[in-house]
Amino acid sequence: MTDEISREDWRSPSLLKGTDGRPVDNTGELLSVFEDDVQLGLPGDQATQVARDAALVAELRRVHFTGPRYDMFENDFAGAALIRLKGMLHNGSLITESQKKWKNSGNPLHVAEGDRRLLNENEVQRDILAVDILLPALRSFRKKALIEGRWNPLHKGEHGPGNLMTYFIGRCEWEFRPQYVEWRRKRQRIADIHANLLDPEAFLTSMVGEEGPDADSSGVVLDMLRSQPQRTQAVLWLVVENYDQLEIADLLHISRGAVANSIYRFRQKVLHAAHSGKVGIPAAVEYAARRAAAPGKKR
C-alpha cells in the first residue's frame, strides 16, 4: 500500500515509500496522475515514460541528487544522451533545432556549411563536440531541472509533458551555440598552428612568442633556443623579430642556405621534444609537419 499521490505532491520523497518504509514500484499510481494528460491526446508510451521519470526523480530527491544512486543514474543517463547527441550531430537535427531556438530568441545562430559537412562525415569531431555539449548541460540539468524542479511532469504545453531525456536534449539545443563557437575557435587555432608548421619561420615565431600554444610549451622552447650555438641563436631571434632569410643572411654575413638550415634543424628539435611530450603540439599537427618535412616533400 503506497502513500496517496496527488498532482501537488509528486515531488515528495514519500512517493517511493510504502507503509512499511520500503521502496515500491509506484508507476501504476503515477500513471493515474496523468490520466487527464492521456485523455488530452498524450501518447500512452509517452505518458508511461513521464510517469517513470517522475518516480525516478522522486527517488533521487530522497538522496538529494547526490551519492552513489545519483551517480549511477547520471552515468546511465549521460551515456544514453551522448548517443542521441552524436546521432543528432550526424544528421544535422541538433544544429537545426538549436538554430530555431536562437532565432526565436532574437539572436540567430549561423553555422558554416563546411562545419555541417564535417560533423556529418567525421566521427571524431562529432564525439568532441557532443561531449563538450553534454558536460555543461548535465551540470545545468541537475541544478535547474532536478534540484530546482523545473522539469515538470504535469506540464500542460502544446505537446503535453516531456520525459527527462526530451527535456535534457532541449537544454542541449541551447547549449549547442556556445560549445559550437568554442569548438570552431579551437579548430581555427589548430589550423593556424598547422599552417605555421608548414612554414618554419612562422612556426618558430608561434612557438616562442606570447601567442604560443601554452605558457609551459613556450618556456621549454625558449630554453631550447637559449641552449643553441651563438650563431643559431642569432638566426632564430632575428626570425622571431620578423626578419626574412635574406635579411638575416646579410646581417650575419652568412649564406641564405645556412640561415634556412639553422631554422630547419631547430624546428626538428622542437618536433622531437613534442614527440617526447616536452612541448604541447596537437598530435595530428605534429604528424602533418613531419610529413611536410619528409624527404621528397616540398618545404
Side-chain angles (χ1 to χ4, degrees), residues 171-219:
R171 301 313 306 169
C172 290
E173 290 165 1
W174 284 108
E175 188 64 37
F176 172 82
R177 181 182 191 129
Q179 299 307 323
Y180 165 71
V181 171
E182 179 64 13
W183 171 81
R184 183 174 172 80
R185 187 193 68 78
K186 288 178 181 177
R187 284 186 52 75
Q188 184 60 53
R189 174 64 179 153
I190 290 174
D192 291 343
I193 295 175
H194 190 168
N196 289 341
L197 283 168
L198 303 182
D199 180 342
E201 289 90 341
F203 169 68
L204 177 61
T205 301
S206 72
M207 291 302 297
V208 303
E210 293 182 359
E211 300 300 322
D214 57 64
D216 290 339
S217 293
S218 295

Side-chain angles (χ1 to χ4, degrees), residues 223-238:
D223 289 342
M224 293 172 61
L225 189 155
R226 295 183 181 113
S227 70
Q228 301 303 303
Q230 186 174 2
R231 192 181 77 172
T232 300
Q233 286 192 50
V235 170
L236 298 175
W237 281 119
L238 286 170

Side-chain angles (χ1 to χ4, degrees), residues 5 25-26 34 44 52 55 61 72 78 85 103 109 180 187 198 204 237 240 250 277 284-285 296:
I5 302 171
D25 181 359
N26 65 337
F34 295 95
R52 288 172 177 164
R61 190 174 296 279
M72 182 174 67
L85 289 174
K103 182 179 180 180
L109 166 64
Y180 165 71
R187 284 186 52 75
L198 303 182
L204 177 61
W237 281 119
V240 174
D250 289 341
V285 176

Side-chain angles (χ1 to χ4, degrees), residues 7-299:
R7 286 182 174 273
E8 287 71 31
D9 66 2
W10 71 269
R11 295 188 182 92
S12 169
S14 67
L15 291 181
L16 270 287
K17 293 164 54 178
T19 54
D20 58 358
R22 299 178 61 186
V24 298
D25 181 359
N26 65 337
T27 301
E29 285 193 66
L30 280 169
L31 278 173
S32 67
V33 173
F34 295 95
E35 181 178 358
D36 292 341
D37 300 276
V38 175
Q39 290 175 354
L40 289 172
L42 189 64
D45 290 346
Q46 183 177 338
T48 300
Q49 185 58 57
V50 170
R52 288 172 177 164
D53 286 348
L56 176 60
V57 171
E59 177 187 357
L60 295 173
R61 190 174 296 279
R62 291 173 55 203
V63 296
H64 308 291
F65 304 107
T66 59
R69 177 65 186 94
Y70 182 78
D71 291 343
M72 182 174 67
F73 155 75
E74 187 175 68
N75 288 338
D76 291 345
F77 189 82
L82 186 60
I83 294 172
R84 288 276 297 273
L85 289 174
K86 290 194 289 186
M88 293 177 73
L89 286 171
H90 181 58
N91 63 28
S93 59
L94 186 64
I95 299 172
T96 300
E97 293 303 316
S98 179
Q99 287 180 313
K100 288 179 182 177
K101 281 182 165 58
W102 285 103
K103 182 179 180 180
N104 291 337
S105 74
N107 192 10
L109 166 64
H110 173 71
V111 176
E113 189 59 34
D115 291 340
R116 284 180 177 270
R117 288 197 300 270
L118 180 65
L119 291 168
N120 173 259
E121 299 169 359
N122 191 307
E123 183 178 0
V124 172
Q125 292 303 319
R126 286 198 301 273
D127 288 350
I128 291 171
L129 184 53
V131 170
D132 286 346
I133 293 169
L134 179 74
L135 295 179
L138 277 175
R139 291 191 293 270
S140 174
F141 176 75
R142 176 179 178 273
K143 179 177 184 293
K144 296 180 180 179
L146 301 180
I147 295 176
E148 296 178 5
R150 296 191 189 183
W151 175 73
N152 183 4
L154 307 177
H155 174 66
K156 286 287 188 178
E158 179 182 356
H159 304 291
N163 60 42
L164 282 176
M165 184 61 72
T166 300
Y167 180 96
F168 181 75
I169 294 299
R171 301 313 306 169
C172 290
E173 290 165 1
W174 284 108
E175 188 64 37
F176 172 82
R177 181 182 191 129
Q179 299 307 323
Y180 165 71
V181 171
E182 179 64 13
W183 171 81
R184 183 174 172 80
R185 187 193 68 78
K186 288 178 181 177
R187 284 186 52 75
Q188 184 60 53
R189 174 64 179 153
I190 290 174
D192 291 343
I193 295 175
H194 190 168
N196 289 341
L197 283 168
L198 303 182
D199 180 342
E201 289 90 341
F203 169 68
L204 177 61
T205 301
S206 72
M207 291 302 297
V208 303
E210 293 182 359
E211 300 300 322
D214 57 64
D216 290 339
S217 293
S218 295
V220 172
V221 174
L222 281 171
D223 289 342
M224 293 172 61
L225 189 155
R226 295 183 181 113
S227 70
Q228 301 303 303
Q230 186 174 2
R231 192 181 77 172
T232 300
Q233 286 192 50
V235 170
L236 298 175
W237 281 119
L238 286 170
V239 169
V240 174
E241 293 297 325
N242 294 317
Y243 287 85
D244 64 31
Q245 291 188 13
L246 279 176
E247 291 173 327
I248 295 171
D250 289 341
L251 286 169
L252 299 181
H253 306 291
I254 58 178
S255 69
R256 182 179 179 182
V259 173
N261 190 51
S262 294
I263 297 170
Y264 173 76
R265 288 180 177 277
F266 186 72
R267 183 178 71 158
Q268 294 305 106
K269 290 180 180 180
V270 173
L271 291 173
H272 179 75
H275 184 68
S276 64
K278 296 178 181 178
V279 176
I281 299 177
V285 176
E286 180 187 349
Y287 173 71
R290 291 189 181 281
R291 281 180 57 85
K297 298 286 184 181
K298 291 183 179 181
R299 291 194 298 272

